[in-house]
Amino acid sequence: MNGIMNQHAAGPAGRGLLQVCLNGARTAGESAAVPMTPEAMGRSAARAVAAGAAEVHVHPKTPCGQDSVSGRLVAETVEAIRAAAVGVPVGVTTGAWAEPDPVRRVERVRSWTVLPDLASVNWHEPGAEEVAAALLERGVAVEAGLWSGTPGVRLFAASPLAPRVARVLAEVTDTDPATAPRTARALLEEAAPPTGVPVLLHGEDGGAWPVLRLALRLGLDTRIGLEDTLRLPDGTPAASNAELVTAAAHLRAEAEHPPAE
């Protein structure tokens, strides 16, 4: 199969979707800017959307700050964000760390009373197929998380559910800013989503901004937010998700309209 890189080897950068990832598995101890309650997530989402984000990805949290896929917390989080950022798609995590038991994770998904628009499923995790199938049965779009350095790409390629996902989420776990773009290119070469399935490419921590710049050059969807990095492109701490989105929007504008030589 031809990798994603072959589909984007030439031509000007396109205007890919920009998603904001509000919090991830981070805690308030890492940054006071990380939104931890549904109300704070709603406010943060609204400001990020006003800054240019077209979609929201969030990790619902327990009162003690742990990620969760419980029906009550998913409902409270999704409703708070929808009330604050009307009409913007909202996605949630189904990461194994939020519910380590694969059987219980599927049960949780099937118990949701308020459905997000989409949910990410990390294909290298035990139970990924079953979780994705449960989401699709409920009408929730699936982001297939393919992490670099894991067997996720291979497992996804063999999955009968691959043609049914809404997006491939290419996640670069290399946090070295010098090597993350190379790791990203290798991941894109390896990955081969079904025709018509878009790709969202992103990095994390030190690799977040270099990988975002690569995604912009290739015209791919991408994301930014306090889940992926706590710092702006110049290395200063980010005060909010909106500040990160604003920086990403500026980089996208520069990629689309480079200065004349």
Side-chain angles (χ1 to χ4, degrees), residues 58-153:
V58 67
H59 291 206
K61 301 279 189 181
T62 66
C64 61
Q66 299 300 308
D67 286 3
S68 176
V69 290
S70 86
R72 179 179 63 82
L73 294 174
V74 168
E76 290 176 356
T77 300
V78 171
E79 287 179 332
I81 293 172
R82 284 180 175 156
V86 178
V88 176
V90 180
V92 302
T93 185
T94 63
W97 60 88
E99 175 49 72
D101 183 344
V103 174
R104 181 64 175 152
R105 209 177 320 138
V106 171
E107 291 174 350
R108 291 281 202 179
V109 168
R110 288 180 173 153
S111 74
W112 289 351
T113 56
V114 174
L115 298 178
D117 298 285
L118 64 162
S120 60
V121 178
N122 301 318
W123 231 264
H124 65 280
E125 294 177 347
E129 291 277 336
E130 292 78 11
V131 171
L135 289 164
L136 291 169
E137 287 169 8
R138 302 217 60 198
V140 178
V142 171
E143 287 183 310
L146 307 184
W147 293 23
S148 63
T150 75
V153 169

Side-chain angles (χ1 to χ4, degrees), residues 162-184:
R164 299 179 60 192
V165 304
R167 175 188 297 143
V168 162
L169 189 61
E171 308 200 34
V172 180
T173 59
D174 182 353
T175 60
D176 186 332
T179 59
R182 185 164 63 248
T183 302

